[in-house]
Amino acid sequence: MEPLSDRTRLIAPATRRGGGRRPVNPSIERASTLLSDSVAEMRDGSLGPLYGIEGTASQTALRQALVDLERAEEAWLTPSGLSAVTLPLLALSRPGDEILTTDAVYGPVRRFLTRHMAARGVTTRFHPSGEPADSVAARIGERTRVMLIESPASLTFEMIDVPALVAAARARGVLTVIDNTWAAGLAFKPLMHGVDVSTQALTKYFGGHSDLMLGAATARDPAIRKAIADTVEDLGLCVSPDDAWLALRGLRTLPLRYAEQARSALRVADWLAGRPEVSRVLYPALARDPSYGLWTRDYTGAASLFGVVMRGGDAAAAHALLDGLRLFGLGYSWGGFESLITFETPQMAWRETAPVLEGPLLRLHIGLEDPADLIADLAAGLDGWPNA
Ligand SMILES: Cc1ncc(COP(=O)(O)O)c(C=O)c1O
């Protein structure tokens, strides 16, 4: 019957035969201590977890679903998307090493690199966002140990040619880690393109309901898996069975929510791109976007998250626009059922090379509302824009 599509893969384990009479979903087993009937049984690690930190039924089922979805050999759960990215960086680098990543990397990861890692002798080199893969590869130095890829980049959404970058990294003995949150493990399969570690914030589309913080890392190579597993063990990283259960519940409908939200996002993005108040929409799924070619070549879907560069106007105009919207929540994170909008221009100051923007930078996340209603809300808001 193999290979199954992702829609089926994420559901089929729930109805697999052979488990006897049971609920469809695994139980939430809250445990620090797991009991055995004899000392011999206590010593037998093959009988399942001996201690709560190893995870119980819901964590195990979620890890297996991630292995299946990412075409991995092993998956680890972490308390947030941020810790999913920092875990492999901690596991794979040593003092004296250098990490190469995009100048547009997710802000808190940048802070981890420049604060925590730098204090421990691991330096970071940032490459301009939007630079082609061969120019990035040319920056690999003697000390470069890990390349952290984020595609599309946070806030400005430039994509990079991941297969080309990975080939160049492998040729130089550099390991690759990707933040695959935008693709939700669905639309892009990094491990199938040779990336060493794929990470994502399950907080976003896996959770899908804005009520969960969780992350995941997946890998294939035995040495890399050992380095990550050792680090998980050394740091005592674990997640609650309730949170794993919520993520498992979310993943059954993940492909449908992801596709439907992308359909709406494309409609809203396309409408915005035609408005005189908007200079550019930064969304690889739009045919006029510079990353459209890479997106159509490597991705089977898109997140419902994109940037909007306004034409003229200032921070006060952006604040007024956001304050006046009725259907968009003012909030960070994304991947939930609700539409959100944020003003992102101040974050550009973190970058070494700030992009030239024609006006304020906004970020929109499109939820499951009717896109016609979202467009009407935005239209009313744009009427007040200074150049309208
Ligand atoms: C691209 C990207 N990676 C990672 C994260 C971190 O996820 P979390 O909020 O679960 O720590 C975020 C959160 O916004 C993100 O946008």
Side-chain angles (χ1 to χ4, degrees), residues 191-214:
L191 302 182
M192 294 179 74
H193 290 279
V195 175
D196 292 302
V197 185
S198 175
T199 69
Q200 64 158 314
L202 303 181
T203 307
K204 316 298 182 197
Y205 290 100
F206 259 68
H209 295 76
S210 304
D211 52 9
L212 178 69
M213 299 294 304
L214 211 63

Side-chain angles (χ1 to χ4, degrees), residues 272 278 306-310 314-332 339-347 359-365 374 377-386:
L272 280 167
V278 170
F306 58 85
V308 177
V309 182
M310 301 301 292
D314 55 10
H319 288 190
L321 170 63
L322 267 59
D323 284 346
L325 295 174
R326 288 187 309 121
L327 298 179
F328 286 80
L330 298 179
Y332 290 102
S339 291
L340 299 168
I341 189 163
T342 51
F343 172 53
E344 301 285 3
T345 304
Q347 278 70 269
L361 173 64
L362 312 179
R363 190 187 74 173
L364 274 74
H365 169 258
L374 297 175
D377 195 25
L378 289 166
L382 288 177
D383 276 346
W385 194 253

Side-chain angles (χ1 to χ4, degrees), residues 9 18 25 50 87-88 99 107 161 165-166 182 230 263 271 277 287 297 339 345 364 376 384:
R9 277 173 192 252
N25 295 295
L50 280 163
L87 166 66
I99 292 172
D161 187 336
L165 198 56
V166 168
W182 196 83
D230 287 353
R263 236 189 313 279
W271 177 82
E277 303 86 352
R297 191 192 72 184
S339 291
T345 304
L364 274 74

Side-chain angles (χ1 to χ4, degrees), residues 80-83 85 106 150 154 179 181-182 201-204 213-214 305 333-334 363:
S80 62
L82 175 57
S83 51
V85 181
Y106 174 59
E150 200 184 295
S154 275
D179 181 336
T181 303
W182 196 83
L202 303 181
T203 307
K204 316 298 182 197
M213 299 294 304
L214 211 63
L305 185 78
S333 202
W334 42 285
R363 190 187 74 173

Side-chain angles (χ1 to χ4, degrees), residues 73-88:
E73 290 294 330
E74 198 165 356
W76 300 267
L77 303 175
T78 63
S80 62
L82 175 57
S83 51
V85 181
T86 59
L87 166 66

